[in-house]
Amino acid sequence: MAHIIVVGNEKGGSGKSTTSMHVATALVRMGHRVGGLDLDVRQRSFGRYLENREAFARREGLDLPMPVIGAMGDGGDPLTPALTQLERTCDFILLDCPGSHTKLSQMAHTLADTLVTPMNDSFVDFDLLARLSPEGKILGPSIYAEMVWSARQMRAQAGAGPIDWLVLRNRLGTQAMHNKRKVGGALETLSKRIGFRVAPGFSERVIFRELFPRGLTLLDLKDIGTEQLSMSNIAARQELRDLVAELNLPGVAVNF
């Protein structure tokens, strides 16, 4: 069975597609067979990212590491046929969920061996995980956390293994700001109550916006002739290295 990685959060703009693309292509670079599925049938940011990569590599005559792009099926359950097809050849399957609650997203969460939830470092994003009092006290889980809890219950009833849930703090500021400390403290408290791990994700960098049209990732820069990496690019590569290591995926040793 392929190990299924789900990147999910019921909020747009948290960095799901950027995270999905970099994790998927990093795994391919390390020699693993990876399939990718975009469950956002309307916006398709992850799917378009992969298509941009395929087109750029063909146009430039490059042999870029590429995940297998899965095709959704038809009918009431378009996900199962796509997964069945990918599982024949893939070690890992990455599912990128939309920034909203959909039937496909809910189904994907019940299949997750590893769940990655990118969030911006703000209480606006935190509100999807838990409700807070005006004084900052955690009142209880919010809509997204409740959906993950439901997915865990369904997996338990089916005799499947637990979900390893990792919450990524994207766009972290470099300074020890008051809001950053408060969000961090609230996340640590909540993580113990509802069972997830917390890790730094990607900082806000211009390079991520520049890579999308060509379908490139941080690990492709030397392949396209970038000899000298900036300090920002080197730091971003280290963030990706730390992220892949933090995922603690079976059989994966970070070597880039």
Side-chain angles (χ1 to χ4, degrees), residues 39-100:
L39 304 189
D40 190 341
V41 295
R42 182 171 175 82
Q43 190 168 340
R44 294 190 64 252
S45 296
F46 180 45
R48 291 183 62 195
Y49 208 145
L50 289 169
E51 290 166 1
N52 290 347
R53 182 179 186 82
E54 198 170 44
F56 178 79
R58 185 170 57 249
R59 186 169 62 250
E60 299 296 323
L62 297 173
D63 183 20
L64 295 176
M66 183 79 183
V68 177
I69 305 175
M72 299 289 283
D74 298 318
D77 178 12
L79 183 55
T80 300
L83 289 176
T84 301
Q85 185 69 26
L86 289 173
E87 281 188 329
R88 294 172 183 168
T89 57
C90 294
D91 305 312
F92 297 95
I93 301 174
L94 192 146
L95 309 179
D96 185 41
C97 294
S100 59

Side-chain angles (χ1 to χ4, degrees), residues 95-188:
L95 309 179
D96 185 41
C97 294
S100 59
H101 182 76
T102 66
K103 181 180 178 181
L104 275 178
S105 180
Q106 190 173 12
M107 187 182 301
H109 280 70
T110 66
L111 299 172
D113 298 305
T114 298
L115 171 61
V116 183
T117 300
M119 61 168 282
N120 296 320
D121 206 50
S122 74
F123 282 111
V124 174
D125 282 32
F126 185 89
D127 189 62
L128 289 170
L129 296 175
R131 293 175 289 108
L132 291 176
S133 71
E135 297 76 30
K137 181 180 178 181
I138 296 174
L139 301 176
S142 192
I143 52 174
Y144 181 71
E146 289 173 347
M147 193 263 277
V148 176
W149 174 252
S150 176
R152 282 173 158 167
Q153 288 182 310
M154 292 180 69
R155 283 179 66 87
Q157 292 168 4
I163 298 174
D164 182 21
W165 186 9
L166 181 66
V167 173
L168 295 183
R169 298 177 69 186
N170 277 346
R171 299 185 174 94
L172 276 171
T174 55
Q175 299 177 339
M177 296 175 289
H178 180 63
N179 181 74
K180 177 181 174 181
R181 292 195 301 271
K182 288 187 68 175
V183 172
L187 277 172
E188 288 298 333

Side-chain angles (χ1 to χ4, degrees), residues 230-248:
S230 69
M231 291 302 296
S232 177
N233 293 349
I234 293 171
R237 281 175 62 98
Q238 185 61 50
E239 289 174 354
L240 176 59
R241 190 180 294 115
D242 292 343
L243 166 56
V244 176
E246 190 68 38
L247 289 174
N248 196 29

